[in-house]
Amino acid sequence: MKLGIYPGSFDPLTNGHIDIIERSKKFVDNIIIGISDGNNKKILFNLDERINMINKTIQNRKIKNVTVEPFNGLLVNFVKKKETNIIIRGLRAVSDFEYEFQMTGMNFKLNSDIETIFLMASDKNQLISSNLVKEVSRLNGNVSKFVPPEVEIELKKKFK
Ligand code: ADP
């Protein structure tokens, strides 16, 4: 059974993230969504809120073999602790490349057993980012095309 770790801030979960999770099932049997504390990013939802939104979405959509776990510290340590060597990441156009290139290179130097697999964002999700979703929502825009309903409700609560 192959296990993949899909790490990120997920602040909040978007349809882009869900697409990567669904497509990853073509090459891993189980996925752990590893939620980091945000790595200095400005976070809107605390860890529990982010985990709850993901769990609700997984349950409502009956997405199988996917669990959520928070982690802190080095990603490579979390991956080893879970006894796997596969990291899954999504890649949008050019904007993500530089950062992902550096991260993957560093993780490989820290542990060369671990491989990072990248999935290109689907056409329809190229422009979706958690940051833009938060910004649009803060300005009272409609984000229903970009996030699952479980997340939309929580965004509305935050910005009401
Ligand atoms: P991080 O803080 O680690 O960048 P994110 O939650 O922003 O966390 O993203 C987690 C992963 O999901 C990253 O690999 C990111 O590139 C990917 N991702 C984010 N949005 C999309 C999207 N719309 N389509 C595909 N992948 C995405």
Side-chain angles (χ1 to χ4, degrees), residues 6-11 14 16-17 20 36 38 41 88-92 96 99-100 119-122 125-126 128-130:
Y6 180 33
S9 326
F10 303 97
D11 183 47
T14 68
H17 294 132
I20 297 294
S36 67
K41 279 191 177 181
I88 299 161
R89 295 282 287 177
L91 208 53
R92 284 158 296 185
D96 288 329
Y99 175 71
E100 297 292 342
L119 293 181
M120 299 286 268
S122 306
N125 296 326
Q126 279 290 341
I128 303 179
S129 71
S130 298

Side-chain angles (χ1 to χ4, degrees), residues 74-81 83-87 103-116:
L74 279 178
L75 172 61
V76 289
N77 292 345
F78 179 62
V79 174
K80 272 292 121 191
K81 203 173 107 197
E83 298 181 340
T84 184
N85 58 0
I86 303 172
I87 296 173
M103 281 284 295
T104 305
M106 182 51 78
N107 284 338
F108 196 76
K109 279 197 196 311
L110 292 171
N111 188 330
S112 58
D113 276 348
I114 296 176
E115 294 291 348
T116 305

Side-chain angles (χ1 to χ4, degrees), residues 15 42 47 91 126 136:
N15 291 342
K42 231 178 121 208
L47 214 47
L91 208 53
Q126 279 290 341
V136 172

Side-chain angles (χ1 to χ4, degrees), residues 50-144:
R50 283 179 277 155
I51 291 173
N52 283 338
M53 280 185 281
I54 296 178
N55 274 331
K56 273 189 197 156
T57 308
I58 289 173
Q59 272 164 21
N60 291 344
R61 298 200 175 191
K62 301 188 170 41
I63 299 174
K64 296 264 181 307
N65 305 326
V66 179
T67 53
V68 192
E69 277 187 45
F71 75 94
N72 45 39
L74 279 178
L75 172 61
V76 289
N77 292 345
F78 179 62
V79 174
K80 272 292 121 191
K81 203 173 107 197
K82 293 288 143 194
E83 298 181 340
T84 184
N85 58 0
I86 303 172
I87 296 173
I88 299 161
R89 295 282 287 177
L91 208 53
R92 284 158 296 185
V94 278
S95 58
D96 288 329
F97 183 78
E98 185 71 26
Y99 175 71
E100 297 292 342
F101 180 73
Q102 287 185 14
M103 281 284 295
T104 305
M106 182 51 78
N107 284 338
F108 196 76
K109 279 197 196 311
L110 292 171
N111 188 330
S112 58
D113 276 348
I114 296 176
E115 294 291 348
T116 305
I117 298 174
F118 289 97
L119 293 181
M120 299 286 268
S122 306
D123 263 7
K124 62 179 192 308
N125 296 326
Q126 279 290 341
L127 300 176
I128 303 179
S129 71
S130 298
N131 279 344
L132 267 181
V133 161
K134 283 182 276 190
E135 192 56 18
V136 172
S137 199
R138 192 175 67 80
L139 300 170
N140 266 321
N142 180 353
V143 292
S144 59

